[in-house]
């Protein structure tokens, strides 16, 4: 696995957590995560949140632009049981897995209660339509400022400016971004300071909540096996990804633990 020599990018605000491989992951509770997003959203602060699983942290070791995006985030949560486990091993006992689909639903419940406005960016028009229908049944008073499915190509400057204006004009407090890793993290980093809302990269959460992809039963989720359920559901697409990234993560984290336990040597 290629390890980059550049140091972690320092975030302007202090964050409590630890690097896992080359991704700084925040140590925090569910209440911390939802509370921060809600407060930032209420003030319409331009911030972004990365939801980091094994694929994310492994990608930071080979993609410098992605690494900078993750380490400059306002918050990066431990999505995936291995990342939460790694934080516990690194001195944060009791760290829970804070994943994208659940974070989205927990925040939406708060947003409905507080009258905050949400916007959905990413996925397909069909999925977004199904998502809006599903959410209307669960959160009938939720304020949805809009949704946009970008084309599968880079946007022109004019197109990008237009969607930024659309999001800002919607009054959105929070923008959920479903472009997949690493595209969504890079997009959020590029748009901090332009979009007056909290951007949260939630990957496949749109598909789950729209009913397009079936999520693993709770037992699988609670026992850290959601990845295995997904692999069984989409073996051709996910086999190489999970085989390669999981192996790289295991060896990379083992090396990290060995290095961190070595005594400091005199220069």
């Amino acid at each position: 696995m290629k390890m980059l020599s550049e140091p972690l990018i320092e975030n302007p605000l202090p964050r409590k957590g630890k690097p896992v491989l080359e991704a700084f992951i925040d140590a925090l509770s569910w209440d911390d995560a939802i509370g921060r997003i809600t407060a930032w959203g209420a003030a319409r602060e331009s911030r972004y949140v990365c939801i980091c699983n094994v694929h994310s942290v492994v990608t930071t070791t080979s993609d410098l632009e992605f690494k900078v995006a993750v380490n400059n985030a306002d918050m990066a949560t431990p999505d995936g049981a291995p990342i939460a486990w790694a934080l516990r091993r690194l001195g944060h006992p009791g760290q829970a897995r804070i994943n994208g689909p659940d974070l989205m639903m927990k925040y939406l419940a708060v947003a409905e209660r507080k009258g905050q406005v949400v916007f959905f960016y990413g996925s397909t028009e069909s999925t977004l339509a199904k998502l809006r229908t599903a959410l209307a049944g669960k959160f009938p008073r939720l304020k949805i400022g809009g949704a946009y499915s970008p084309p599968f190509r880079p946007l022109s400057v004019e197109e990008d400016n237009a969607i930024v204006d659309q999001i800002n004009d919607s009054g959105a407090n929070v923008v959920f971004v479903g472009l997949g890793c690493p595209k969504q993290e890079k997009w959020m980093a590029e748009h901090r300071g332009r979009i007056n809302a909290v951007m949260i990269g939630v990957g496949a959460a749109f598909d789950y909540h729209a009913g397009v992809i079936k999520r693993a039963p709770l037992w699988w989720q609670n026992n850290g096996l959601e990845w295995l359920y997904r692999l069984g559901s989409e073996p051709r697409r996910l086999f190489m990804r999970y085989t390669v990234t999981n192996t790289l993560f295991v060896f990379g984290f083992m090396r990290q633990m060995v290095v961190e336990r070595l005594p400091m040597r005199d220069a």
Side-chain angles (χ1 to χ4, degrees):
M1 178 172 58
K2 181 182 177 182
M3 299 294 286
L4 298 175
S5 59
E6 290 83 354
L8 287 169
I9 309 303
E10 292 186 359
N11 191 281
L13 295 176
R15 295 165 61 191
K16 176 184 175 184
K18 286 282 188 177
V20 178
L21 301 192
E22 297 193 25
F24 187 91
I25 308 297
D26 290 271
L28 73 175
S29 68
W30 275 108
D31 287 344
D32 292 333
I34 300 300
R36 291 180 196 178
I37 292 168
T38 304
W40 293 339
R44 295 197 68 192
E45 296 182 11
S46 186
R47 296 178 180 267
Y48 70 92
V49 177
C50 297
I51 313 294
C52 296
N53 56 19
V54 167
H55 180 243
S56 300
V57 300
V58 169
T59 301
T60 63
T61 67
S62 60
D63 185 332
L64 179 59
E65 183 184 359
F66 177 74
K67 172 183 172 179
V68 170
V70 170
N71 290 321
N72 273 344
D74 295 283
M75 183 165 68
T77 75
D79 179 14
I83 310 304
W85 173 83
L87 276 186
R88 293 196 291 270
R89 292 285 297 175
L90 291 168
H92 296 282
Q95 176 60 56
R97 174 193 177 203
I98 300 181
N99 64 84
D102 289 341
L103 183 144
M104 179 173 161
M105 297 304 276
K106 287 177 182 290
Y107 167 75
L108 290 179
V110 174
E112 181 185 44
R113 189 166 66 249
K114 291 183 174 290
Q116 292 196 359
V117 180
V118 296
F119 194 101
F120 301 101
Y121 182 90
S123 195
T124 64
E125 291 184 3
S126 174
T127 295
L128 290 175
K130 293 176 181 177
L131 177 64
R132 295 184 74 153
T133 299
L135 293 180
K138 293 180 179 179
F139 307 107
R141 296 181 300 279
L142 178 66
K143 296 180 180 179
I144 298 178
Y148 180 75
S149 173
F152 290 97
R153 59 169 173 77
L155 298 181
S156 67
V157 173
E158 293 76 16
E159 289 172 325
D160 188 61
N161 288 337
I163 187 58
V164 168
D165 289 342
Q166 181 182 343
I167 292 171
N168 288 336
D169 291 345
S170 75
N173 302 100
V174 167
V175 180
F176 287 101
V177 184
L179 298 175
C181 171
K183 187 176 180 180
Q184 65 192 11
E185 288 78 13
K186 295 178 181 180
W187 186 89
M188 293 188 297
E190 291 170 358
H191 287 79
R192 182 168 59 186
R194 297 179 60 204
I195 290 178
N196 303 322
V198 183
M199 297 166 280
I200 308 175
V202 292
F206 291 3
D207 294 316
Y208 289 138
H209 297 314
V212 175
I213 297 177
K214 184 178 179 181
R215 195 177 178 195
L218 281 176
W219 186 89
W220 292 69
Q221 297 177 39
N222 294 337
N223 286 277
L225 296 173
E226 188 164 12
W227 69 271
L228 184 59
Y229 184 89
R230 286 199 66 193
L231 176 60
S233 301
E234 301 179 83
R236 289 187 178 181
R237 187 174 74 86
L238 297 175
F239 179 76
M240 288 302 297
R241 169 177 162 178
Y242 282 138
T243 300
V244 173
T245 57
N246 287 2
T247 301
L248 289 174
F249 174 76
V250 169
F251 282 102
F253 190 68
M254 287 173 61
R255 180 167 66 174
Q256 178 178 343
M257 292 300 292
V258 169
V259 170
E260 292 195 4
R261 288 177 178 176
L262 288 177
M264 294 294 292
R265 295 179 180 178
D266 294 334

